[in-house]
Amino acid sequence: MLTKMVSKVLGVYPITLVFRYRRRDAAYTTLLMSTGLTFGTISSLYGLTHGIISEDQYSLLVAAVIASAVVPTWIANRFFLPHHHIQAARIGLEEVRNEG
């Protein structure tokens, strides 16, 4: 699981910098992209339906997949949340409300 997350960081973070993200925004995006929920869940279900793993193993794998998504998302929101984008969205929303 750690290897998967490290490889995603090495693949996503440099690309965000190429697109001129601020370092904190790049870290936020990288953490959110490192979850692997879709592939982990689908591959676990494949293993279960094809008799490769048992129901107990499936449950453990899905729990690990969810945990590997919750932890980086929590870290991203706790330490790297892009407040400047949230504020800009609020200002834009207020402008739309005032026009209508």
Side-chain angles (χ1 to χ4, degrees):
M1 182 166 41
L2 183 62
T3 304
K4 174 192 75 153
M5 292 171 75
V6 168
S7 65
K8 286 190 175 192
V9 167
L10 293 175
V12 174
Y13 188 75
I15 299 302
T16 60
L17 295 178
V18 167
F19 283 96
R20 298 183 182 164
Y21 279 45
R22 296 178 183 177
R23 291 196 183 275
R24 291 182 60 80
D25 292 351
Y28 182 78
T29 302
T30 301
L31 285 165
L32 292 182
M33 295 291 288
S34 69
T35 61
L37 276 171
T38 304
F39 181 78
T41 307
I42 291 172
S43 60
S44 298
L45 184 59
Y46 178 86
L48 176 66
T49 58
H50 287 81
I52 299 168
I53 61 172
S54 68
E55 288 184 14
D56 290 337
Q57 291 170 318
Y58 173 77
S59 296
L60 290 172
L61 284 170
V62 170
V65 166
I66 292 170
S68 74
V70 169
V71 171
T73 302
W74 179 82
I75 292 170
N77 285 321
R78 176 69 177 93
F79 298 106
F80 299 102
L81 187 66
H83 295 285
H84 56 282
H85 291 303
I86 295 170
Q87 186 62 31
R90 286 184 182 146
I91 291 169
L93 182 60
E94 287 300 318
E95 289 174 359
V96 169
R97 286 183 181 159
N98 291 335
E99 290 176 5

